[in-house]
């Protein structure tokens, strides 16, 4: 059977173009960068940890400094936010290093050993590592005071790494590293008197002191350190650039300072007696009026916690309180 020349040429050219196109895609076209992949799948995957300084479930849903930052970044990219909390803190760096998530927003201290495994975004907060003790016991003032005592820290944390570094100069310094406790839980253990000391970041201690008023900072064991997001070390740096631009914009606009003020302003001027009284009033009084604060918050689109804070300042949530000008109630 004769095969028409024109048809033959058409099929031959089509085959050549198809093969050439396949070769071009397979050999010469650039790989899709990380940021484009995230936008194409419509989701960015963060690792974090449950903590008052990072991410926790509030009465109105997820909240925390890191959550607010993660949500803003995902919204800026136009993708959904996926958040995973690994079972142990020590799992976060390995998971980011092996690309099991895009970013770790977990209050990570930037250290040399971590830099060798992952990349970091811009620093967004300055902290120090501090020795934590319970008031009423002898106050430690130097590393030697920790020797012979029960010191417990989180495994895989920068606190553990710093103790290892200190042990080079103080070989008798001993400590326990645990996987099943968070830094906040160890502060609670010091407060309960179950352990002598732990090490915590200064921002963690500032927030938790309201919950554990007898837990105190003794002395720092580091100079200033910095917290930053940990980024998976993929070949391209498109995600790194996006994170850098994001934080630079937050700093320029003043929004980062506003977020830090929102989460940490209440930690300034800690008053031991007032804190204990507040804890008592939250338990005995706030629970009685909580539905009313929430209802008013929904009605006027105001955060109910702001209304409750004003009510406490004005009357300590006493419904029969009378102001100097004769105003009655909360």
């Amino acid at each position: 059977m004769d095969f028409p020349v024109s048809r033959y040429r058409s099929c031959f050219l089509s085959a050549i173009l198809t093969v050439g196109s396949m070769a071009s895609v397979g050999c010469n076209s650039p790989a899709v960068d990380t940021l484009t992949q995230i936008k194409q799948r419509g989701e960015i995957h963060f690792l974090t940890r449950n903590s008052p300084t990072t991410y926790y479930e509030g009465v109105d849903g997820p909240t925390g400094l890191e959550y607010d930052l993660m949500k803003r970044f995902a919204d800026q990219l136009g993708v959904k936010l996926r958040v995973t909390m690994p079972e142990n803190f020590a799992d976060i760096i390995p998971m980011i290093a092996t690309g099991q998530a895009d970013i770790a927003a977990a209050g990570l201290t930037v250290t040399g050993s971590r830099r060798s495994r992952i990349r970091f975004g811009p620093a967004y907060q300055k902290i120090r590592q501090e020795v934590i003790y319970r008031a009423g016991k002898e106050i430690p003032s130097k590393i030697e005071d920790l020797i012979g005592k029960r010191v417990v820290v989180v495994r895989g944390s920068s606190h553990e790494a710093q103790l290892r570094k200190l042990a080079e100069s103080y070989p008798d310094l001993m400590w326990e590293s645990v996987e099943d406790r968070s830094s906040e839980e160890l502060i609670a253990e010091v407060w309960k008197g179950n352990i002598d000391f732990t090490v915590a970041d200064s921002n963690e201690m500032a927030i938790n002191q309201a919950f554990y008023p007898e837990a105190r900072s003794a002395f720092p064991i580091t100079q200033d350190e910095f917290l930053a997001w940990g980024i998976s070390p993929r070949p391209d740096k498109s995600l790194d650039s996006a994170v850098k631009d994001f934080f630079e914009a937050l700093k320029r606009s003043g929004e980062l300072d506003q977020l830090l003020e929102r989460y940490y302003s209440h930690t300034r001027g800690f008053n031991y007696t007032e804190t204990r009284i507040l804890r008592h009033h939250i338990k005995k009084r706030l629970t009685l009026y909580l539905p009313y604060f929430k209802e008013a918050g929904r009605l006027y689109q105001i955060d109910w916690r702001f209304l409750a804070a004003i009510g406490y300042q004005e009357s300590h949530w006493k419904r029969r309180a009378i102001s100097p000008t004769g105003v009655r109630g909360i």
Side-chain angles (χ1 to χ4, degrees), residues 52-64:
T53 61
T54 53
Y55 173 98
Y56 59 95
E57 285 292 330
V59 293
D60 297 318
T63 188

Side-chain angles (χ1 to χ4, degrees), residues 189-219:
E189 290 298 299
V190 171
W191 176 69
K192 294 173 184 176
N194 293 336
I195 61 178
D196 295 312
F197 308 117
T198 189
V199 177
D201 291 345
S202 52
N203 64 322
E204 293 175 326
M205 187 57 212
I207 282 186
N208 281 280
Q209 194 162 32
F211 303 104
Y212 310 110
E214 288 83 10
R216 306 288 174 83
S217 298
F219 63 94

Side-chain angles (χ1 to χ4, degrees), residues 20-37:
S21 175
M22 291 173 62
S24 175
V25 171
C27 302
N28 300 320
S29 65
V32 177
D33 64 55
T34 302
L35 190 60
T36 301
Q37 291 176 24

Side-chain angles (χ1 to χ4, degrees), residues 38-39 41-46 70-71 73-83 102:
I38 290 170
K39 291 181 177 180
R41 72 173 184 249
E43 174 186 271
I44 185 164
H45 188 189
F46 276 88
M70 290 187 288
K71 187 67 170 63
F73 186 60
D75 289 346
Q76 179 175 296
L77 296 183
V79 298
K80 294 180 180 179
L81 172 64
R82 177 186 171 194
V83 177
D102 301 307

Side-chain angles (χ1 to χ4, degrees), residues 113-313:
S113 61
R114 287 174 175 172
R115 279 190 180 279
S116 68
R117 304 182 67 187
I118 65 175
R119 296 199 289 262
F120 281 98
Y124 60 85
Q125 195 170 4
K126 181 170 64 176
I127 57 94
R128 285 188 177 190
Q129 295 184 36
E130 299 176 336
V131 173
I132 309 303
Y133 75 103
R134 179 183 168 84
K137 295 187 176 182
E138 185 176 353
I139 305 174
S141 60
K142 54 187 183 302
I143 297 298
E144 290 91 330
D145 295 337
L146 309 184
I147 295 174
K149 302 292 186 179
R150 189 181 179 199
V151 182
V152 184
V153 295
V154 176
R155 187 182 303 278
S157 66
S158 57
H159 311 143
E160 180 186 39
Q162 181 63 17
L163 290 178
R164 284 204 196 99
K165 186 182 298 184
L166 290 170
E168 295 174 4
S169 301
Y170 302 91
D172 293 331
L173 178 63
M174 305 292 290
W175 65 90
E176 301 172 37
S177 299
V178 294
E179 286 186 340
D180 59 346
R181 299 292 179 89
S182 66
S183 186
E184 290 76 21
E185 289 173 320
L186 293 180
I187 292 173
E189 290 298 299
V190 171
W191 176 69
K192 294 173 184 176
N194 293 336
I195 61 178
D196 295 312
F197 308 117
T198 189
V199 177
D201 291 345
S202 52
N203 64 322
E204 293 175 326
M205 187 57 212
I207 282 186
N208 281 280
Q209 194 162 32
F211 303 104
Y212 310 110
E214 288 83 10
R216 306 288 174 83
S217 298
F219 63 94
I221 60 172
T222 64
Q223 298 297 317
D224 288 342
E225 296 183 317
F226 297 92
L227 305 184
W229 282 359
I231 304 171
S232 183
R234 290 162 181 162
D236 72 283
K237 294 188 177 181
S238 57
L239 183 56
D240 306 56
S241 297
V243 169
K244 180 183 177 184
D245 293 343
F246 171 69
F247 276 100
E248 286 181 350
L250 283 183
K251 291 175 183 178
R252 283 196 307 268
S253 67
E255 191 173 357
L256 180 59
D257 288 337
Q258 292 172 8
L259 286 171
L260 292 170
E261 180 73 10
R262 172 184 174 186
Y263 284 102
Y264 290 97
S265 62
H266 70 281
T267 65
R268 294 192 290 268
F270 171 76
N271 183 291
Y272 174 78
T273 302
E274 289 182 2
T275 298
R276 290 186 63 86
I277 293 173
L278 174 60
R279 286 166 60 88
H280 175 76
H281 288 167
I282 288 173
K283 183 177 181 181
K284 297 295 184 180
R285 296 179 185 173
L286 180 59
T287 52
L288 298 175
Y289 306 112
L290 191 57
Y292 302 104
F293 283 124
K294 288 187 174 182
E295 182 181 354
R298 285 192 296 269
L299 181 61
Y300 296 103
Q301 296 184 337
I302 299 174
D303 191 325
W304 70 264
R305 287 163 290 198
F306 178 66
L307 297 176
I310 293 174
Y312 187 77
Q313 286 295 113

